[in-house]
Amino acid sequence: MIQRRTRFGGHLLRSFRDASSSSSSKIGGYFGLASQTSTSLQQACVSTNRDAEFANLEWDNLGFGMVPTDYMYIMKCSKGESFEHGQLCHFGNIELSPAAGVLNYGQGAYEGTKAYKKEDGRLLLFRPDQNAIRLKNSAERMCMPSPSIDQFVDALKQTVLANKRWVPPPGKGSLYIRPLIMGSGEILGLSAAPEYTFLIYVSPVGNYFKEGLAPLNLYVEEEFDRASRGGTGGVKSITNYAPGLKALTRAKNRGFSDVLYLDSMNKKNLEEVSSCNIFVVKGNSISTPATNGTILAGITRKSIVDIARDHGYQVEEGTITVDELIHADEVFCTGTAVGVAPVGSITYQGKRMEFKTGAQAVSQQLYMTLEGIKKGVIEDKKGWIVEIG
């Protein structure tokens, strides 16, 4: 039986596993991987007897759930200092003090991105520098240090390469990558934690929604707010999401896919769906709510804006009232986890509005272009793709 524990004590990470002494010596070699090149990292992965091309999974039945993989990446620093050297260690549970800042005061932020495998076996990341920038903004808002862009991207590369057998075959899904920063140090009174941990773990995933690529049915939430002016709605704070579970659970129990939030001040302007941005299509015009501090600046959102303009659409970022939905031809959502998801209907104050979906929809055209770029099928003319192996 395998047991995995990683203790967050001092600056040395230790992994414990019930294995032979020879396996233990190989595992120990992983503590020096942070400074290795991609080539030597790949060779080190082979030395751990995890050289099968793919893990033993039912790739055709992937959903969006946690699948434990081989390795995670951890880097630590103290308050007032900078992140310097990180390490790969076996994926497993971590130990935190009950007084850790993240547990008591929610001091944490996270990101989400994906890796794809091409037919020739090469691995691709999509705009990881944008995730690094957004995580830095989130960390600053939550009074935490953050890795540099180069540190962040290098950590992603190391983690994906170490877990390369978990990247789904082409067309079967992607490797979801979850970087996060948390206040791991002990703090009793309300204050910034004295120590911080940057961590990356991964999981192979399929479609986010149980509907797969089928159109979503959204419910306009009027009782609960997602964010308010001056709050943290514009960053990926860990505190943004659990408060939305009540509205989301209630909507799903009523048969809806997700909830669409309105602004907290006027209760009439579209903001976001629970975990993704929203777009509205009317003729040749595509509109999306402006990122004004309460709406997360999605990287998929930003990419779709550029792709839509390349396709000749007029894209506007501004205020969209809920009443305007009745005149829309199409509605769709975007996000790292969801990709580009068509919306079949939105229910507001008991009235159901339906929208165009299908192969000829604008959202499908944009989806095919975006996915083609991500997977290396369509030429990347914007420098968005980072190849890592």
Side-chain angles (χ1 to χ4, degrees):
M1 178 179 177
I2 295 175
Q3 295 181 335
R4 298 170 176 172
R5 295 177 66 194
T6 301
R7 182 176 178 81
F8 279 19
H11 293 281
L12 179 64
L13 301 171
R14 294 183 288 272
S15 296
F16 301 88
R17 179 179 284 245
D18 291 338
S20 66
S21 59
S22 60
S23 295
S24 296
S25 65
K26 292 173 182 176
I27 291 169
Y30 262 80
F31 294 140
L33 287 179
S35 61
Q36 293 184 15
T37 63
S38 296
T39 301
S40 61
L41 176 57
Q42 289 175 307
Q43 292 171 345
C45 287
V46 172
S47 73
T48 64
N49 293 322
R50 288 185 169 89
D51 57 349
E53 183 178 4
F54 294 106
N56 185 22
L57 287 181
E58 294 184 16
W59 297 108
D60 290 325
N61 297 316
L62 277 181
F64 198 92
M66 186 61 205
V67 177
T69 56
D70 295 328
Y71 298 99
M72 60 186 183
Y73 181 96
I74 298 180
M75 182 163 55
K76 301 170 74 69
C77 80
S78 298
K79 182 179 179 181
E81 297 180 355
S82 299
F83 286 104
E84 292 184 1
H85 303 296
Q87 299 168 317
L88 286 167
C89 63
H90 285 296
F91 176 84
N93 294 338
I94 61 176
E95 289 187 2
L96 287 172
S97 165
V102 66
L103 297 181
N104 291 266
Y105 300 114
Q107 192 183 22
Y110 77 92
E111 274 299 318
T113 185
K114 292 178 177 179
Y116 298 85
K117 180 169 287 186
K118 294 186 67 175
E119 292 289 351
D120 61 8
R122 287 181 292 172
L123 303 176
L124 307 177
L125 294 174
F126 182 74
R127 309 190 75 174
D129 60 313
Q130 296 300 305
N131 294 98
I133 293 170
R134 191 169 65 179
L135 185 62
K136 178 179 176 61
N137 292 336
S138 299
E140 288 180 351
R141 179 64 178 85
M142 303 300 287
C143 298
M144 299 187 294
S146 60
S148 68
I149 294 176
D150 288 343
Q151 285 176 318
F152 180 93
V153 175
D154 182 63
L156 289 188
K157 291 178 179 180
Q158 290 187 50
T159 309
V160 172
L161 283 172
N163 292 287
K164 63 180 180 180
R165 72 192 187 101
W166 297 94
V167 183
K172 302 296 184 180
S174 58
L175 186 71
Y176 186 83
I177 309 167
R178 172 58 61 82
L180 59 90
I181 302 176
M182 58 182 164
S184 50
E186 295 178 331
I187 189 74
L188 186 60
L190 178 56
S191 180
E195 182 185 69
Y196 297 89
T197 299
F198 172 66
L199 184 151
I200 304 175
Y201 66 90
V202 298
S203 176
V205 297
N207 291 314
Y208 182 78
F209 290 106
K210 67 178 183 179
E211 294 89 342
L213 297 178
L216 306 178
N217 298 304
L218 304 181
Y219 176 82
V220 177
E221 176 58 49
E222 295 184 88
E223 179 180 357
F224 300 107
D225 299 326
R226 177 192 171 273
S228 60
R229 299 284 182 180
T232 59
V235 299
K236 282 188 79 69
S237 164
I238 63 172
T239 58
N240 287 348
Y241 296 91
L245 292 177
K246 189 175 183 69
L248 178 61
T249 301
R250 184 171 63 181
K252 287 189 172 183
N253 288 340
R254 295 174 178 174
F256 296 99
S257 310
D258 211 327
V259 296
L260 172 59
Y261 288 99
L262 303 177
D263 71 294
S264 62
M265 184 176 297
N266 301 305
K267 288 290 188 178
K268 68 175 184 178
N269 301 322
L270 304 187
E271 292 232 318
E272 285 190 48
V273 181
S274 294
S275 60
C276 46
N277 297 115
I278 191 163
F279 286 77
V280 177
V281 182
K282 178 63 176 177
N284 195 56
S285 176
I286 301 177
S287 302
T288 188
T291 53
N292 55 8
T294 59
I295 297 173
L296 186 68
I299 295 166
T300 306
R301 172 191 180 277
K302 182 178 181 179
S303 304
I304 284 296
V305 167
D306 289 344
I307 290 172
R309 286 171 174 159
D310 290 344
H311 279 286
Y313 292 100
Q314 179 181 348
V315 182
E316 298 178 358
E317 301 177 63
T319 300
I320 306 172
T321 67
V322 66
D323 293 329
E324 292 178 54
L325 289 173
I326 196 170
H327 303 296
D329 297 327
E330 294 180 41
V331 176
F332 63 90
C333 299
T334 66
T336 297
V338 307
V340 179
V343 174
S345 74
I346 296 178
T347 298
Y348 174 55
Q349 295 183 344
K351 297 179 180 179
R352 177 185 171 101
M353 296 169 279
E354 297 187 347
F355 309 100
K356 176 183 175 181
T357 60
Q360 303 304 314
V362 172
S363 62
Q364 181 67 11
Q365 179 187 23
L366 301 178
Y367 166 80
M368 294 299 292
T369 302
L370 177 65
E371 291 300 301
I373 295 173
K374 286 182 177 180
K375 298 172 182 178
V377 177
I378 294 177
E379 181 184 359
D380 172 28
K381 298 180 179 180
K382 298 180 180 294
W384 288 348
I385 297 298
V386 174
E387 187 175 310
I388 58 175

